[in-house]
Amino acid sequence: MATPHAEPEQHAPSLKSRRILICRPEPEASRLATAFLGAGAEVRLMPLVAREPLPETPERRSLLLELDSFSHIIAVSPYAARLLLDEIEQWWPQMPMGIQWYGVGAGTAAVFSQHGIRPRMPAHGWTSEALLALPSLQRLEHQRVLLARAEHGRELIRQTLEQRGARITVLPLYRRFRPYYPPEQVQDNFDAFEPEVIIVLSGETLNNLIETGTDHPQMLDKALLVVPADRIAEQARIAGFSNVLVPEGLTDPELLASVAARLAQGAADNGKPSKDARD
């Protein structure tokens, strides 16, 4: 899926003619593409995770009507936060008081903030591990915690908070799946476009990239792979990716700046003009 060209933004890092393949879900993919296009890059979109809300159930409705019995509410992604707030608004004209809200990452926290909620989030880091280091989540004996997430997901938060004494309720709000792309579209994105950078911001997206690109191993050697955390970077290296970047942050400007800096460093190290560099 190609995106239109855009003029470079003033003061933005220059990525003129650099080829970027964005594999994160929509709408985040298109929003990030706009930032890279503004820096002069050529961008292709190939979301490798799609999401759809789960149908409402009587059990979920009953749970939301008991929202004021929870001490802590955690959303693991911006999508989870949006779906949760949409459902809460159906049953609570005013948000119940006395709840501590948490977002895994700045994007999730921003969704809460846009709805007048002041969430807690780590001062540094954007992973589940960083969230679990918050002082308010250390001693949770008999406290109720609501965890809004996908139907299936990483169990670290649930397991860790249970070990700390919390009474955890998992609230599945959506399912994730790998979209289908015709072989000719995959070949065009990998071989014809020949991306210099592939942006993959979850472990599931990385796994789907590996499955989708089985017949295109050259991307393992050529592309700079952008992943969200050291844990996934190690997963990528084990899979055969030789050039892996964990950015300084996951906001669009932080991703843009980290990619631009890494590509510029690669150009300097190789003694080549920036437009021809490979890192």
Side-chain angles (χ1 to χ4, degrees), residues 5 21 27 43 48 51 76 87 97 100 117-118 133 167 172 178 193 203 211 216 242 256 268 275:
H5 290 281
L21 179 65
V43 180
L48 288 174
R51 303 169 297 204
V76 302
E87 294 211 15
M97 304 295 291
Q100 296 183 39
I117 297 170
R118 297 182 62 182
R167 297 162 54 200
R178 177 163 64 98
F193 184 59
E211 291 185 29
H216 307 273
S242 56
L256 183 64
K275 66 179 181 179

Side-chain angles (χ1 to χ4, degrees), residues 27-252:
E28 293 87 352
S30 290
R31 189 191 67 215
L32 182 59
T34 299
F36 276 96
L37 288 166
E42 299 177 18
V43 180
R44 293 278 185 97
L45 303 183
M46 190 173 69
L48 288 174
V49 172
R51 303 169 297 204
E52 63 181 14
L54 293 171
E56 186 185 78
T57 64
E59 293 78 13
R60 194 164 87 198
R61 185 165 58 248
S62 297
L63 183 63
L64 290 171
L65 290 172
E66 300 173 5
L67 201 68
D68 55 352
S69 69
F70 288 91
S71 301
H72 310 267
I73 295 178
I74 301 171
V76 302
S77 68
Y79 191 66
R82 285 192 293 268
L83 290 177
L84 176 63
L85 292 173
D86 286 346
E87 294 211 15
I88 289 174
E89 288 176 355
Q90 296 181 42
W91 307 108
W92 293 87
Q94 289 188 326
M95 199 67 71
M97 304 295 291
I99 299 174
Q100 296 183 39
W101 299 77
Y102 303 82
V104 179
T108 307
V111 174
F112 285 144
S113 297
Q114 291 162 7
H115 284 73
I117 297 170
R118 297 182 62 182
R120 301 190 180 201
M121 58 173 289
H124 305 287
W126 50 87
T127 64
S128 298
E129 288 84 352
L131 182 82
L132 290 167
L134 288 172
S136 57
L137 291 177
Q138 300 310 301
R139 299 183 62 86
L140 298 169
E141 288 82 359
H142 310 300
Q143 296 183 40
R144 295 193 72 188
V145 178
L146 184 67
L147 179 60
R149 63 175 220 186
E151 185 176 30
H152 303 288
R154 194 178 178 209
E155 297 293 339
L156 178 68
I157 293 177
R158 180 185 64 79
Q159 292 172 349
T160 302
L161 296 185
E162 283 181 343
Q163 292 169 2
R164 295 174 182 175
R167 297 162 54 200
I168 297 285
T169 300
V170 175
L171 179 62
L173 292 172
Y174 60 100
R175 63 179 290 262
R176 297 186 297 253
F177 58 95
R178 177 163 64 98
Y180 170 76
Y181 291 98
E184 57 271 19
Q185 184 176 355
V186 174
Q187 182 175 7
D188 186 59
N189 283 333
F190 287 149
D191 296 341
F193 184 59
E194 195 177 354
E196 299 172 79
V197 179
I198 302 176
I199 297 180
V200 175
L201 296 185
S202 75
E204 183 176 1
T205 307
L206 173 60
N207 290 334
N208 291 346
L209 174 68
I210 294 168
E211 291 185 29
T212 302
T214 299
D215 296 330
H216 307 273
Q218 71 281 354
M219 71 178 179
L220 303 183
D221 298 322
K222 293 184 178 181
L224 171 65
L225 188 76
V226 183
V227 300
D230 291 336
R231 173 179 60 87
I232 300 175
E234 180 61 22
Q235 177 184 341
R237 294 186 184 100
I238 291 172
F241 290 87
S242 56
N243 299 316
V244 183
L245 169 66
V246 178
E248 293 298 319
L250 298 185
T251 66
D252 293 350

